[in-house]
Amino acid sequence: TYWFLPHSTAYPDLRQHNNCMASHLTPAIYAKLCDKSTPNGYTLDQAIQTGVDNPGHPFIKTVGMVAGDEETYEVFADLLDPIIRERHNGYDCRTMTHPTDLDSSKLHSGRFDERYVLSSRVRTGRSIRGLSLPPACTRAERREVERVTVDALAGLSGDLAGKYYSLTQMTDAEQQQLIDDHFLFDKPVSPLLTCAGMARDWPDARGIWHNNEKTFLVWINEEDHTRVISMEKGGNMKRVFDRFCRGLKEVERMIQEKGWEFMWNEKLGYILTCPSNLGTGLRAGVHVNLPRLSKDPRFSKILDNLRLQKRGTGGVDTAAVGSTFDISNLDRLGQSEVQLVQTVVDGVNYLIECEKKLEKGQDIKVPAPPKGN
Amino acid sequence: MVLTKDIYNKLRGKSTPSGFTVDDIIQTGVDNPGHPFIMTVGCVAGDEESYEVFKDLLDPIISDRHSGYKPTDKHRTDLNFENLKGGDDLDPAYVLSSRVRTGRSIKGFTLPPHNSRGERRTIEKLSIEALATLSGEFKGKYYPLNGMTDKEQDQLINDHFLFDKPVSPLLTCAGMARDWPDARGIWHNDAKTFLVWVNEEDHLRVISMQQGGNMKEVFRRFCTGLLKIEETFKKHNHGFMWNEHLGYVLTCPSNLGTGLRGGVHVKLPKLSTHAKFEEILTRLRLQKRGTGGVDTASVGGVFDISNADRLGSSEVDQVQMVVDGVKLMVAMEKKLEKSESIDDMIPAQK
């Protein structure tokens, strides 16, 4: 009986919703796409489930849909293209190409005043081509992602040499150490992730790898196949970015030796679970203390024009505590890794200059927005 | 769980006509290793065919859960309330409320773990139409979750009728909260003694309830109302999922058969702390829960006591066990209040 129900009976009720999916999923687009599926069998309803189940977020306009595999971005392009355009500042993936540049030697002025910048971090994600993404992967695929990645990481050496801690097998002592280091990721509780099916089979095939120096870290099978993080206390973003690029290229080389590759194409850059992370998938940021500037009414505008975003120090859906903020790049797609980290470097230096001016009772200027905005 | 590697390998390539797979069946059990108060099933059905396509997994689970019920056994349905003996004299000083619930699935649609928005809305539409034909003591009104006024919502909360979006991971991991609150709602009669939940854990949950201990009346209303509803659905060519082996087919294998949970909220502060309490319950084929529902603890010595069986005995049989068992336990409680022994009252295994 149910196969013959008309599409109009199935269009979701999005009247209470405020996310990118709800903004762009018209009844016509729904009718066109609702019977399609990717070669792996991933459907539109599955892709939008998280957005249907989570009408809106107070701090940030969420995307409201995820990809179950690489092909999602093609099969459901009628919905994803406008979402990508909205989310990535007008980027039109049908006509534009995305630049990838992991040559960290091009970064300049990447050392911050450590009286203000407490820590520096760059993260991205990488997906293993040929295996479905966290919302849709089977247990077998997820275990294969783990195997391929752990295998590659075992080949790292020098300052990148490290060890893998599987969530199912770590000892209590290891677990405590990882918690103390602020490395351990938990089973997702955010309904943004659970409604998308990313917590299935937890903690099977999930784990954390980090180098002995605890400055290069890889999460396996959390929200993406892999999340790669370079970090350290203090303001040496240059060193953080150097290590980031070096580590990433090494890991890529290792998996290629075994016949694997990362999901990437020249329109969308690196393919990740959430459309907001396409392109570079890169979030470069600092924890920075800005007690005066953060209270200035122009703070938000300054951040906007610098193409920066503020978050609480607990992560994407948290509020700031005191006057320490997590400041990072807004953009992910349409500019390269080098360009985005440079944007953060220049922007954070500007914020620190503003803070210093305010300390001396001087006035600050709102910088001009970038050309083309 | 009875899922061996062999069974898993045998079943992993299969799927029901609507596309439900063995991984879908077991997801909730994989994601929820265990519950402190009750041994959960760990599996759900996505459609009627799940019980056939995945019988290699579900038959042993059904057998385990339903006291050795065999694949060749037949289940008896008896909704003739006149066959219940007694049940109108449970002491209201102890028995605070009485309730009988069951579930029904509408043939031709997939079940809550798997159904699409379109199906769910059609189920709602058919249910509203069927319920609108009821009259007399069954005349009532439907309140869709997505459209009730604040006033209606407050009233439903005060009546303890309103069901919430499931938060229990037992349900959310099985996909039953998708698209909430779309096509979910509550219908109840004007007297507030007969209630139907639409699209919660099953297509329909039908509940008859009232304060006090007159289980006989509760069961009469339950049977009468259910049969009327079924008549209307049949008229529109949408019967309930039922077969002579599994009885009424519902989402959770634990609810097969009658799908019936007949129970009371009863004060047993002394008996519940007696060393033999659990054994008494087991022998009476009864189950205890907290008054908040399936995965809660008891508060203040008040327990939800209900039948443990669902499959292999009829509705009348099961409610009879509740009536007889609760009557006995209240008598035991009274004895214990007087510091008398209850050793000679311990029942034999039913």
Side-chain angles (χ1 to χ4, degrees), chain B residues 213-237:
Chain B
N214 194 346
M215 183 60 95
K216 191 179 184 64
E217 174 61 13
V218 169
F219 190 53
R220 181 205 62 78
R221 193 169 46 244
F222 174 81
C223 295
T224 311
L226 248 185
L227 291 169
K228 281 195 201 295
I229 294 171
E230 179 157 25
E231 229 176 82
T232 321
F233 270 101
K234 274 202 190 135
K235 255 195 234 154
H236 293 99
N237 284 318

Side-chain angles (χ1 to χ4, degrees), chain A residues 153-173:
Chain A
L153 293 166
L156 295 178
S157 60
D159 68 322
L160 294 177
K163 184 178 167 181
Y164 181 62
Y165 302 87
S166 134
L167 250 59
T168 56
Q169 283 164 27
M170 64 176 67
T171 65
D172 286 344

Side-chain angles (χ1 to χ4, degrees), chain A residues 148-253:
Chain A
V148 169
T149 309
V150 170
D151 205 46
L153 293 166
L156 295 178
S157 60
D159 68 322
L160 294 177
K163 184 178 167 181
Y164 181 62
Y165 302 87
S166 134
L167 250 59
T168 56
Q169 283 164 27
M170 64 176 67
T171 65
D172 286 344
E174 288 169 339
Q175 182 171 297
Q176 196 52 53
Q177 188 59 57
L178 287 166
I179 290 173
D180 294 340
D181 291 328
H182 303 288
F183 282 173
L184 190 63
F185 61 86
D186 265 322
K187 178 172 181 174
V189 291
S190 168
L192 299 176
L193 300 184
T194 56
C195 290
M198 298 196 229
R200 285 172 305 127
D201 310 318
W202 203 275
D204 198 300
R206 273 78 168 197
I208 290 162
W209 180 99
H210 69 78
N211 66 348
N212 299 328
E213 298 177 12
K214 300 185 182 179
T215 55
F216 192 71
L217 172 66
V218 178
W219 289 353
I220 293 178
N221 286 318
E222 194 239 10
E223 185 185 331
D224 278 294
H225 282 176
T226 69
R227 283 288 179 96
V228 179
I229 302 152
S230 172
M231 60 204 266
E232 58 186 73
K233 289 254 182 274
N236 197 341
M237 181 61 92
K238 174 109 176 107
R239 187 164 62 202
V240 168
F241 190 48
D242 279 340
R243 189 168 51 241
F244 176 81
C245 294
R246 200 161 32 90
L248 262 178
K249 287 186 216 164
E250 264 304 286
V251 172
E252 181 160 27
R253 198 173 62 76

